[in-house]
Amino acid sequence: MSQDTETTAPGAATAPGGPASRYDLVVRGRRVLTATGIRPLEVGVRDGVVVALQPLGDELAGDEIVELADDETLIPGLVDTHVHVNEPGRTEWEGFASATRAAAAGGVTTIVDMPLNSIPPTVDVDALEIKRGVARDQVHVDVGFWGGATPGNTGELRALHDAGVFGFKCFLLPSGVDEFPPLEPDEMEADMRELATFDSVLIVHAEDSRAIDNAPPPEGDDYGKFLASRPRGAENLAIAEVIERARWTGARTHILHLSSSDALPMIRSAKRDGIRLTVETCPHYLTLTSEEIPLGATQFKCCPPIREAGNRELLWEGLADGTIDFIVSDHSPSTLDLKDLEHGDFGVAWGGVSSLQLGLSLIWTEARQRGLDLETVVSWMSDRPAQFAGLAGKGRIALGHDADFSIFAAEDAYVVDVAKLHHKNPLTPYQGRTLAGVVRRTYLHGEVVDGTAPRGRLLRHGTTG
């Protein structure tokens, strides 16, 4: 399919056309990760779709044959449903070309773009079409879009849904940009009731503005003061509010970037009660700790904040027991000047961590130390976010699924060099960190992503939802 074609996200299907003698691409190896685990397989691809999964040794014929090395695993392309691309309007912060190159380099083959930080924000169909027009012909991976829920746009939500957005994001406190204001809880509930009529999902930045207004103000280069300005209680209060409004309305609701482990018991309780609630967390909450953040290191600033080591361990437990559903990046870059690197003032610097290219290695590095296997990590970062977003043709190496995958060397390692990342602005809190696991090559629809020829598709939520 040509790079400027928009398509409804494909659903899982049986192998189209049945068996045939030749494939566009065949990948052979002793380690291919499918829904049944890692095993020796040959993967046959035709027209960008997986159409054969056969035992290794069957010698499937292909126009291109790829033989995995002994240290390589073929894994499904990751699905990152929380990426701030910022184009148009703030393209100097990131942009579709740079963001999708970074995604592919990190094994991510599908992203869903957040509705804010671009100008205009994606709060009506006209704005969505502007964003699609800018993205078309630039994207190196497949890209979908979230809509925004802001004061006064309840009447726009159904039209945005029909135009293909994957759901709607709201804030319960100021977002940091004036053109995307927050909802009051009653407004959030009204939007939940509207979304329940067509079974879309509300994704919520859950921090309570009153709790933060009454916390000490952030100032200076001491991260501890910034952490005190965004207390766990702010998250806990807001999440409790979201849970109860979801209970009253029956709407599908999702908690973004969970950082407070205190909220895990009420999330477990809500899920036991049958509330339609899902929860994500992010690599920075699972790999970093507040205790290690140096004075003035504003590259670590994000909201909600990175918390203490004990909190981090409880988040890992929440993942392991299923309370937290999956892991996505919340890649939220900015220009270097907005990070106030000269003064290192946490009260002034823009909040956001850049990690889109690094997520798989970050999580694998930590997970393997905890005795977790690669299958589990990849499920958290591919299959589960794909299911959440309704991307039924993504997130697995399976018959009828898109041939989106990467070749991953789990035992290889590298040192993060910000100059080698594809993010537009060279800043990340992981500079100099040694990480396990190297993405050696990424395939989109059965073709290698080379970073020069954009072949990604613009996805619409449709029958897969």
Side-chain angles (χ1 to χ4, degrees):
M1 183 174 288
S2 65
Q3 66 206 40
D4 60 351
T5 300
E6 296 181 9
T7 179
T8 299
T14 56
S21 60
R22 195 165 189 87
Y23 302 91
D24 302 329
L25 169 69
V26 173
V27 182
R28 301 178 184 142
R30 299 195 59 80
R31 295 179 56 82
V32 176
L33 197 166
T34 70
T36 58
I38 295 174
R39 55 197 177 104
L41 282 176
E42 298 188 8
V43 182
V45 175
R46 189 179 299 119
D47 297 326
V49 175
V50 175
V51 295
L53 292 171
Q54 297 294 329
L56 186 64
D58 276 15
E59 298 294 325
L60 298 181
D63 295 337
E64 180 184 359
I65 304 291
V66 174
E67 304 271 2
L68 298 180
D70 290 343
D71 69 338
E72 294 176 340
T73 305
L74 190 72
I75 67 172
L78 305 188
V79 176
D80 192 335
T81 56
H82 195 151
V83 179
H84 293 269
V85 176
N86 307 326
E87 186 175 9
R90 293 189 174 94
T91 310
E92 68 276 14
W93 295 15
E94 194 58 275
F96 285 103
S98 56
T100 55
R101 280 193 193 97
V108 178
T109 53
T110 304
I111 67 170
V112 188
D113 170 61
M114 282 292 163
L116 73 156
N117 298 346
S118 57
I119 302 174
T122 315
V123 295
D124 55 41
V125 172
D126 287 345
L128 174 64
E129 292 308 320
I130 289 169
K131 184 170 281 194
R132 280 188 171 135
V134 170
R136 192 179 292 113
D137 300 331
Q138 287 203 74
V139 295
H140 297 273
V141 302
D142 287 355
V143 177
F145 301 93
W146 294 110
T150 55
N153 86 325
T154 303
E156 304 285 347
L157 302 183
R158 181 58 192 257
L160 275 164
H161 171 78
D162 292 343
V165 300
F166 284 76
F168 299 88
K169 179 176 187 177
C170 73
F171 279 75
L172 294 179
L173 79 173
S175 69
V177 291
D178 292 341
E179 67 274 3
F180 200 95
L183 297 179
E184 293 295 326
D186 287 348
E187 294 173 313
M188 177 179 68
E189 182 185 337
D191 283 351
M192 284 181 174
R193 293 189 185 280
E194 172 69 8
L195 298 185
T197 66
F198 46 92
D199 201 32
S200 190
V201 62
L202 188 68
I203 65 175
V204 185
H205 182 124
E207 288 182 284
D208 184 86
S209 59
R210 297 162 298 171
I212 290 174
D213 287 345
N214 284 283
E219 57 184 0
D221 62 0
D222 182 352
Y223 183 80
K225 292 183 177 179
F226 171 66
L227 184 60
S229 77
R230 313 288 292 212
R232 296 188 197 199
E235 263 191 283
N236 304 336
L237 274 171
I239 290 169
E241 188 86 68
V242 170
I243 287 171
E244 294 312 306
R245 306 282 177 150
R247 190 192 307 274
W248 304 343
T249 62
R252 284 199 295 136
T253 310
H254 178 75
I255 301 297
L256 296 164
H257 45 49
L258 179 70
S259 84
S260 172
S261 62
D262 291 353
L264 291 170
M266 72 172 118
I267 292 168
R268 290 188 187 104
S269 177
K271 289 187 170 191
R272 284 196 300 269
D273 289 348
I275 294 172
R276 303 171 74 197
L277 181 71
T278 49
V279 181
E280 69 184 45
T281 193
C282 307
H284 36 282
Y285 303 127
L286 297 167
T287 63
L288 302 172
T289 65
S290 60
E291 293 93 336
E292 71 183 301
I293 297 176
L295 292 173
T298 54
Q299 63 269 34
F300 289 82
K301 179 182 175 179
C302 56
C303 299
I306 295 157
R307 302 192 189 278
E308 304 84 357
N311 182 86
R312 178 183 67 176
E313 297 314 306
L314 289 171
L315 292 178
W316 276 102
E317 291 179 16
L319 274 165
D321 69 19
T323 306
I324 300 171
D325 295 275
F326 55 84
I327 304 168
V328 286
S329 69
D330 188 13
H331 178 69
S332 186
S334 71
T335 55
L336 300 187
D337 63 299
L338 289 175
K339 277 293 189 180
D340 193 44
L341 298 173
E342 181 180 357
H343 303 104
D345 189 335
F346 285 99
V348 173
W350 176 261
V353 168
S354 295
S355 65
L356 179 56
Q357 187 171 333
L358 302 172
L360 177 57
S361 297
L362 288 166
I363 295 303
W364 174 234
T365 300
E366 292 287 332
R368 69 202 301 246
Q369 295 173 5
R370 292 169 168 79
L372 296 164
D373 58 30
L374 184 60
E375 297 97 308
T376 300
V377 168
V378 171
S379 176
W380 284 334
M381 303 184 78
S382 61
D383 186 35
R384 290 189 187 180
Q387 289 185 40
F388 160 69
L391 289 158
K394 303 291 190 183
R396 295 184 185 181
I397 298 175
L399 294 179
H401 277 51
D402 287 347
D404 300 347
F405 30 70
S406 69
I407 295 173
F408 186 64
E411 299 304 317
D412 205 349
Y414 65 101
V415 176
V416 176
D417 179 353
V418 72
K420 296 180 180 178
L421 300 179
H422 293 279
H423 308 153
K424 182 169 286 187
N425 288 280
L427 186 70
T428 180
Y430 302 105
Q431 170 69 9
R433 182 170 288 221
T434 300
L435 300 180
V438 174
V439 174
R440 291 184 175 163
R441 194 180 310 161
T442 297
Y443 290 81
L444 182 73
H445 306 293
E447 297 185 48
V448 173
V449 181
D450 62 9
T452 59
R455 290 182 293 99
R457 307 177 184 184
L458 304 186
L459 304 176
R460 296 173 185 261
H461 185 276
T463 57
T464 58

